[in-house]
Amino acid sequence: MTVAVKYDTNLAMGLGLIDETKVLLQAWEPPMSATELYEAILESGALSRISAYRLRNIVVRAFGNRYLTDHGKPAAFLKRLVNALPSAQLDQLFYIHTARANRIFADFVRQVYWPAYQSAAAFLTKQMAEEFIWRAIDDGKTPSRWADGQVMRMGRYLTGCCTDFGLLGSPSSSGRPLRSFSIEPNVVTYLAYDLHFQSIGDNALLAHEDWGLFGLERQDVLEALRRNSLKGHFIVQAAGDVVRIDWKHRGMEALCDVLAEG
């Protein structure tokens, strides 16, 4: 029986943390733990503008949860790309891993942001964010019943994280404006390979929930993979509902090295 993941408040540790993540990836060396990375950053002074207390929360509860899972594989892959890819692509990779580590953020994007975007809404309001959280509380998705103030803060964290990653604009009296947001080609390739090396079959891969972070459904994913196949990373064969993908690269490290070379 699958146990549903409960929502937590780890987004409070730093939202997108894009600039900080770049610094931390450059400083991290396998097999550093989050605590060892914190000590190294503290000693180096690379993020000296941040207090030691807040830095520990950022490194351990944010960076660690996002990038040091599965024996640090996400950090190892992204470290190969951090100085090579344009910011637009790198930010989207951070977005994927942030959403995976923060279920409340991933569900908010899929259940609130994209329906609003697809209905041509101009703004996403704090009321929309708070209503999403109240529904989650009523559905038992939080470990306890959050107080009103915590709901308000989490609403701000959700919309603020969307702004950090480019889904929303800066806040105004009407809410945060929805911005055009589409997946970068190299991110399509990275995500497809990442799912493939999690032993997800080709057909299941096309329907994986991670694509929903970019508003993509199965047919959209298939078309994106077909376009990317022209770059030679894989060959896509589709007949009806059956899809077969021939994968060129034998591991994520090899893929990341190729992406880094451009």
Side-chain angles (χ1 to χ4, degrees):
M1 179 178 178
T2 301
V3 178
V5 176
K6 295 285 187 178
Y7 291 166
D8 59 41
T9 59
N10 279 344
L11 271 186
M13 298 304 107
L15 306 186
L17 292 172
I18 292 171
D19 292 337
E20 293 85 351
T21 297
K22 292 175 182 177
V23 173
L24 293 171
L25 285 172
Q26 290 166 343
W28 179 81
E29 296 291 343
M32 272 187 178
S33 67
T35 299
E36 290 168 337
L37 176 59
Y38 162 73
E39 292 170 351
I41 288 291
L42 194 64
E43 182 178 349
S44 72
L47 292 172
S48 58
R49 69 186 186 282
I50 301 172
S51 70
Y53 174 79
R54 175 164 164 71
L55 181 62
R56 175 176 283 278
N57 279 334
I58 288 174
V59 176
V60 176
R61 291 184 61 187
F63 184 89
N65 286 341
R66 298 176 191 184
Y67 307 106
L68 297 183
T69 58
D70 195 14
H71 308 290
K73 285 182 180 179
F77 302 151
L78 293 171
K79 187 176 179 68
R80 295 171 181 263
L81 299 172
V82 68
N83 291 321
L85 293 187
S87 292
Q89 298 176 25
L90 201 60
D91 292 358
Q92 289 191 2
L93 298 181
F94 295 166
Y95 166 63
I96 292 169
H97 289 287
T98 298
R100 287 177 175 176
N102 296 274
R103 185 73 192 193
I104 188 171
F105 176 58
D107 286 352
F108 177 72
V109 169
R110 288 189 287 254
Q111 297 173 22
V112 179
Y113 172 83
W114 282 109
Y117 184 93
Q118 290 158 1
S119 67
F123 295 92
L124 198 152
T125 67
K126 69 181 186 67
Q127 288 84 1
M128 294 166 69
E130 291 171 13
E131 287 171 2
F132 162 79
I133 298 169
W134 283 120
R135 287 195 301 272
I137 293 171
D138 290 340
D139 290 342
K141 293 181 179 179
T142 56
S144 61
R145 192 160 187 88
W146 292 347
D148 292 359
Q150 193 169 12
V151 170
M152 292 176 62
R153 289 191 294 275
M154 279 305 301
R156 291 197 297 271
Y157 300 151
L158 291 171
T159 55
C161 201
C162 285
T163 296
D164 284 355
F165 287 118
L167 287 78
L168 297 174
S170 300
S172 69
S173 59
S174 300
R176 296 181 189 246
L178 280 81
R179 297 177 59 183
S180 177
F181 186 76
S182 59
I183 192 168
E184 293 280 335
N186 276 345
V187 177
V188 171
T189 300
Y190 177 99
L191 180 52
Y193 266 93
D194 187 54
L195 296 174
H196 169 65
F197 287 118
Q198 292 178 41
S199 299
I200 297 173
D202 295 347
N203 279 292
L205 183 151
L206 267 64
H208 194 276
E209 64 180 4
D210 281 354
W211 299 109
L213 297 171
F214 298 92
L216 301 179
E217 297 182 353
R218 185 183 187 280
Q219 189 61 34
D220 303 317
V221 177
L222 179 58
E223 291 305 317
L225 292 175
R226 281 172 167 161
R227 288 193 298 271
N228 266 31
S229 68
L230 298 176
K231 298 183 178 182
H233 297 301
F234 37 66
I235 299 172
V236 180
Q237 298 174 311
D241 292 333
V242 178
V243 173
R244 177 182 174 183
I245 304 174
D246 293 325
W247 305 89
K248 175 179 178 181
H249 307 295
R250 295 185 177 274
M252 283 297 293
E253 294 86 353
L255 170 72
C256 290
D257 288 343
V258 171
L259 294 179
E261 292 170 1

